[in-house]
Amino acid sequence: SFLNFAAINELKLGNKEKFIEYSKKAYALNPLDEQAYVLNIMGLIQSGNPDGAEALATTTAARSKYLTNWSIVNSYLDAKLSNRVISMIQGQIVADPYTLDLRSTLASVYVKLGNPQAGIKELQEIIKIAPQYKTTIEQAIAQIKAEAKIK
């Protein structure tokens, strides 16, 4: 919708208040629109209301989808809520242990926050759960080690 476009444009321009306003309006007009849903969640987090954002994801499946959306996760990181999002992802892994995207997202968060060892540990857990991805995961681990200068 136009409001989604306007919200994204305001976000790109750094106009946080307008982004929050437009994302809220877009979601109110069409709560079934996936983009409006994500933008609204991002707006709630950015406006200091992560509880409101989290209330929108109530089922296990919805929560896993919420916590593997990198735009949403980045909103937590940008709002300096990294411990909160890490804790939520860890808790969701307990509830939904075979959703590999959760572990992959957690690994990415750790790496982004400067803790590549924790990220590698999560990736190694994926190999245990889904050995068919071993080659790909090992390539990712090698890249993380090279970038972090880990032997």
Side-chain angles (χ1 to χ4, degrees):
S1 78
F2 173 74
L3 285 171
N4 288 345
F5 172 78
I8 292 167
N9 192 49
E10 294 300 335
L11 181 63
K12 287 179 182 176
L13 293 172
N15 298 330
K16 184 176 170 181
E17 291 77 21
K18 283 289 184 187
F19 165 70
I20 292 167
E21 175 188 342
Y22 292 154
S23 63
K24 183 177 180 179
K25 286 179 180 178
Y27 182 70
L29 284 173
N30 189 359
L32 299 178
D33 179 334
E34 183 73 21
Q35 186 177 36
Y37 170 78
V38 170
L39 291 171
N40 184 53
I41 287 170
M42 291 170 61
L44 287 166
I45 294 166
Q46 301 238 342
S47 68
N49 186 7
D51 290 336
E54 292 154 22
L56 295 175
T58 56
T59 66
T60 298
R63 212 130 163 93
S64 290
K65 186 174 182 180
Y66 173 99
L67 292 170
T68 57
N69 183 301
W70 195 245
S71 295
I72 293 171
V73 172
N74 258 336
S75 290
Y76 279 96
L77 300 179
D78 292 345
K80 308 292 186 238
L81 296 170
S82 58
N83 288 339
R84 184 176 184 138
V85 76
I86 287 169
S87 177
M88 289 182 352
I89 295 170
Q90 289 170 334
Q92 193 61 24
I93 286 171
V94 171
D96 194 4
Y98 298 104
T99 298
L100 303 180
D101 287 344
L102 287 167
R103 291 184 186 278
S104 176
T105 300
L106 185 56
S108 296
V109 168
Y110 283 139
V111 171
K112 184 171 183 169
L113 294 174
N115 190 351
Q117 292 88 351
I120 290 168
K121 183 179 176 201
E122 280 305 318
L123 293 174
Q124 289 168 336
E125 287 298 315
I126 294 174
I127 292 171
K128 290 178 190 173
I129 295 167
Q132 67 270 30
Y133 299 116
K134 182 178 180 179
T135 302
T136 304
I137 300 284
E138 285 177 342
Q139 290 169 349
I141 290 170
Q143 182 179 350
I144 292 167
K145 285 181 175 181
E147 290 174 7
K149 297 180 175 54
I150 299 171
K151 294 183 181 192

